[in-house]
Amino acid sequence: MTSVAQTAQSPASQTLDVRRIREAFPLLARTIGGKPLVYLDNAATTQKPQPVLDTLSRYYAAENANIHRGVYQLSQNATQAYEGARAKVAAFLNAAEPAEIIFTRNATEGINLVAQTFGRWQVGEGDDVVISTMEHHSNIVPWQMLCEEKGARLRVVPITDAGELMIDELASMLGPRTKLVSIVHMSNSLGTINPVRQVVELAHAQNIPVLIDGSQAAYHMAVDVQAIGCDFYVVTGHKLYGPTGIGALYGQRRWLEAMPPYQGGGDMISSVTFEHTTYNKVPHKFEAGTPHIAGAIGLGAAVDFIQGVGFEAIADHERRLLDYATDALLGVPGLRLIGTARKKASILSFVLDGVHAHDIGTIVDTEGVAIRTGHHCTQPVMDRFGVPATARASLAMYNTVEEIDQLVATLTKVRGIFG
Amino acid sequence: MSDLRELYQEVILDHNRSPRNFGPLEDADLQADGHNPLCGDRLSIAVKVDDGVVTDVRFQGSGCAISQASASLMTEGIKGKTLVEARALFDRFHRLVTDQTAPADDPALGKLNVFAGVRDYPARVKCAILAWHTLRAAVDDSHEAVSTE
Ligand SMILES: Cc1ncc(COP(=O)(O)O)c(C=O)c1O
């Protein structure tokens, strides 16, 4: 793929040609009720670039076969493409080897997999699992279910008024009964980027493994799981400019080897008799049944696309947009930002005096502006800030300053209606 | 802009700003809580019934303008009505906000017709109807006979 960002040698190496980027995303050209779409709900899902769409249709039109079974060429090629995608995702996250990447349906399944395998094996009665107030429901409920089953305790690290993790509180919660720490890398409702390396250091000092939920972080910044040092890391393809229905779990090999399998079925075995089944090796042990082959290959194309643009360029562009949007939104009378961490990215959650988020969402939609309103699957965050819901604009590499202006103009219209 | 004004009618904005019959109700005969998990709207409705007639009704809670105004106007609309009449109003209201072919000026609904614009915003039907569902839950959970169909 040709790079959409300027080449590294050019002096303006960090600038990103947003007009060219946008051309790669066909959906961005559409209108909503006659108005150009302003898509600002990227934290929910990102749009898909043409190379991903092409990869999916090419796979089904010319390359489709089941994997890991046929000796015929078509199946061999499909297997190579699928395993090639695994290698791409491994490189994207800087895993030590492709076998440390397990394809899942999404981030949610990645977390559930760890809860059901590692968790059921390691967590017992009286043990602790540590999460934080800012977790997505998908990093709360699987642990709640596990703790309920095992008689274990779910402990929650509080956050500050700015939406930052209270790291000292986290440190004080860790102890011999702590069996896992599971923390979000970047909050989807606050934008906070957590000091995950520090979290891992604190936990590892007491031999406690750490899962990091990278659903949001992975499309805004370069992730290096080895540098973070985490034991597990989950991502979800549809937020990585890739297809829905595909995600990935990174797990250190030593854990994956030791963990019991997740689901039983084809592909996860090496031999089956009615008396005894031996499981396949890592990572196949965790991928029962025919996987989302096209999705995995599409995800491979998506990470190629992201790397073609480059995280330096993406982060720089998104940082400027975030700064611009923060200033612009604070100029709207009665607007309050929820989530003002010193380290944050690409997410602007806000409330407007006297106007419920849901009304904001409806009104801006009539101008083609798509933002999310509600609790963003983080009800404890809403409770923490004492709001029933927020409106949330979330940015991606293809958003523009003009789109921020459009958002602000429609918010002014909201003020016009509600006074 | 014009169609947004269809949704956010002045009456709705007014009832959102200053909801009527808002607050607790002592010695209520019927009570239910309603929750719209998608947007976080929460309502609690309390009713006093005498001989099958709604003698008082009040609500509490928080939510969007549509859900607040709907609760407020509902309390006005059902006070003095029998539970059977209230149930009939619910059905008419439901039609008003969901059915594109229903008249937008049902005489039986009176002031409640301001919600006709909701039918063009399917995502907001749940907001408009929450108070009514909550009312129905309050009645159904009780032993007050409403169903006479
Ligand atoms: C921080 C975070 N974690 C987990 C998820 C769950 O992702 P998915 O629904 O793709 O499993 C999301 C997405 O909504 C998220 O933002």
Side-chain angles (χ1 to χ4, degrees):
Chain A
M1 210 205 69
T2 53
S3 169
V4 199
Q6 296 183 5
T7 58
Q9 286 84 350
S10 91
S13 67
Q14 299 201 334
T15 61
L16 159 157
D17 184 347
V18 71
R19 199 179 43 83
R20 274 191 66 194
I21 299 257
R22 290 182 72 83
E23 281 168 6
F25 290 82
L27 191 138
L28 295 179
R30 68 159 290 179
T31 56
I32 299 289
K35 310 262 169 65
L37 168 67
V38 174
Y39 187 74
L40 295 173
D41 194 16
N42 295 289
T45 199
T46 51
Q47 301 304 340
K48 318 306 174 198
Q50 197 62 48
V52 169
L53 303 176
D54 290 346
T55 300
L56 290 174
S57 67
R58 192 175 53 239
Y59 171 75
Y60 282 122
E63 297 160 1
N64 176 53
N66 212 330
I67 56 169
H68 299 144
R69 4 204 130 174
V71 294
Y72 52 95
Q73 192 185 333
L74 201 61
S75 171
Q76 294 288 313
N77 291 350
T79 303
Q80 273 165 15
Y82 181 78
E83 293 303 329
R86 192 191 307 279
K88 285 178 185 182
V89 174
F92 182 71
L93 298 175
N94 196 33
E97 49 167 327
E100 291 184 325
I101 299 297
I102 295 158
F103 283 122
T104 60
R105 278 189 299 132
N106 46 35
T108 303
E109 193 181 43
I111 296 169
N112 276 280
L113 190 157
V114 176
Q116 290 302 310
T117 59
F118 175 89
R120 292 179 83 179
W121 163 50
Q122 285 289 311
V123 178
E125 195 174 338
D127 287 338
D128 286 349
V129 173
V130 173
I131 61 171
S132 85
T133 302
M134 71 174 95
E135 300 311 316
H136 188 277
H137 294 165
S138 62
N139 197 26
I140 301 174
V141 184
W143 306 118
Q144 248 169 359
M145 291 164 67
L146 176 72
C147 288
E148 199 157 305
E149 176 188 324
K150 295 292 185 177
R153 184 166 60 150
L154 189 62
R155 304 201 60 188
V156 183
V157 181
I159 59 177
T160 66
D161 289 345
E164 291 172 339
L165 191 70
M166 297 172 87
I167 196 85
D168 295 344
E169 299 275 340
L170 181 140
S172 72
M173 276 183 197
L174 304 180
R177 302 308 309 247
T178 315
K179 290 298 151 71
L180 183 76
V181 174
S182 190
I183 296 281
V184 71
H185 194 167
M186 172 179 157
S187 155
N188 67 305
S189 51
L190 301 166
T192 309
I193 298 169
N194 283 320
V196 286
R197 227 169 135 162
Q198 197 184 348
V199 170
V200 170
E201 274 168 20
L202 285 168
H204 281 187
Q206 303 192 46
N207 288 321
I208 302 161
V210 179
L211 183 155
I212 302 292
D213 172 3
S215 303
Q216 293 296 333
Y219 66 105
H220 294 300
M221 63 195 84
V223 171
D224 181 337
V225 290
Q226 295 187 79
I228 295 170
C230 56
D231 300 82
F232 303 101
Y233 195 96
V234 297
V235 296
T236 195
H238 68 96
K239 295 189 212 278
L240 284 165
Y241 307 99
T244 55
I246 189 75
L249 162 69
Y250 157 81
Q252 287 182 6
R253 179 182 272 278
R254 63 192 177 100
W255 289 123
L256 298 183
E257 294 286 355
M259 276 152 53
Y262 177 44
Q263 295 175 327
D267 245 22
M268 56 78 70
I269 50 83
S270 54
S271 81
V272 176
T273 66
F274 286 116
E275 290 69 41
H276 185 69
T277 292
T278 40
Y279 303 130
N280 203 338
K281 53 192 198 315
V282 168
H284 310 293
K285 181 169 100 180
F286 296 101
E287 292 180 0
T290 301
H292 188 0
I293 305 167
I297 297 171
L299 178 56
V303 302
D304 278 348
F305 180 85
I306 294 173
Q307 286 174 323
V309 179
F311 271 118
E312 237 185 289
I314 292 171
D316 177 67
H317 174 71
E318 291 181 358
R319 160 56 49 190
R320 281 171 216 242
L321 268 187
L322 180 66
D323 290 346
Y324 182 85
T326 304
D327 287 346
L329 285 179
L330 289 175
V332 176
L335 186 145
R336 180 162 64 98
L337 283 174
I338 305 283
T340 48
R342 281 156 296 180
K343 280 200 77 184
K344 70 175 278 191
S346 296
I347 284 179
L348 299 119
S349 253
F350 58 92
V351 291
L352 210 48
D353 261 358
V355 191
H356 191 276
H358 214 177
D359 296 310
I360 300 174
T362 293
I363 296 170
V364 303
D365 179 50
T366 62
E367 295 292 324
V369 178
I371 59 172
R372 177 85 178 269
T373 56
H375 52 61
H376 322 295
C377 296
T378 56
Q379 284 181 16
V381 172
M382 302 296 115
D383 294 343
R384 168 64 178 79
F385 288 94
V387 293
T390 72
R392 179 190 70 188
S394 52
L395 313 169
M397 64 162 91
Y398 43 61
N399 289 122
T400 66
V401 164
E402 290 73 27
E403 290 181 306
I404 304 298
D405 290 342
Q406 179 67 9
L407 169 66
V408 171
T410 60
L411 291 176
T412 307
K413 183 169 161 180
V414 173
R415 278 266 82 111
I417 291 175
F418 277 83
Chain B
M1 194 75 188
S2 62
D3 39 341
L4 262 182
R5 285 287 179 194
E6 286 292 308
L7 180 64
Y8 292 106
Q9 305 240 356
E10 206 38 63
V11 178
I12 292 180
L13 294 173
D14 173 49
H15 276 259
N16 175 48
R17 264 191 306 269
S18 26
R20 322 295 198 268
N21 302 311
F22 189 89
L25 181 61
E26 301 284 309
D27 307 322
D29 299 301
L30 313 176
Q31 200 279 329
D33 297 328
H35 182 209
N36 185 347
L38 199 67
C39 40
D41 296 347
R42 278 179 193 283
L43 283 181
S44 163
I45 290 181
V47 192
K48 270 192 188 164
V49 186
D50 189 8
D51 207 13
V53 175
V54 176
T55 56
D56 202 2
V57 49
R58 292 174 76 75
F59 80 101
Q60 288 176 281
S62 69
C64 65
I66 305 296
S67 75
Q68 289 287 291
S70 175
S72 173
L73 281 152
M74 180 189 80
T75 59
E76 287 194 335
I78 63 167
K79 221 184 256 189
K81 298 238 165 36
T82 66
L83 290 175
V84 175
E85 288 166 338
R87 165 57 69 83
L89 266 189
F90 174 90
D91 294 337
R92 285 175 171 271
F93 185 80
H94 193 272
R95 221 170 305 130
L96 180 81
V97 297
T98 54
D99 184 350
Q100 294 285 348
T101 65
D105 53 355
D106 181 343
L109 287 172
K111 250 188 184 176
L112 294 167
N113 283 304
V114 294
F115 290 100
V118 171
R119 62 177 70 171
D120 295 324
Y121 296 85
R124 306 308 298 278
V125 169
K126 281 208 283 294
C127 312
I129 216 94
L130 176 64
W132 291 89
H133 274 304
T134 310
L135 173 70
R136 191 162 78 176
V139 174
D140 286 354
D141 283 353
S142 74
H143 301 291
E144 302 279 346
V146 270
S147 158
T148 55
E149 283 123 66

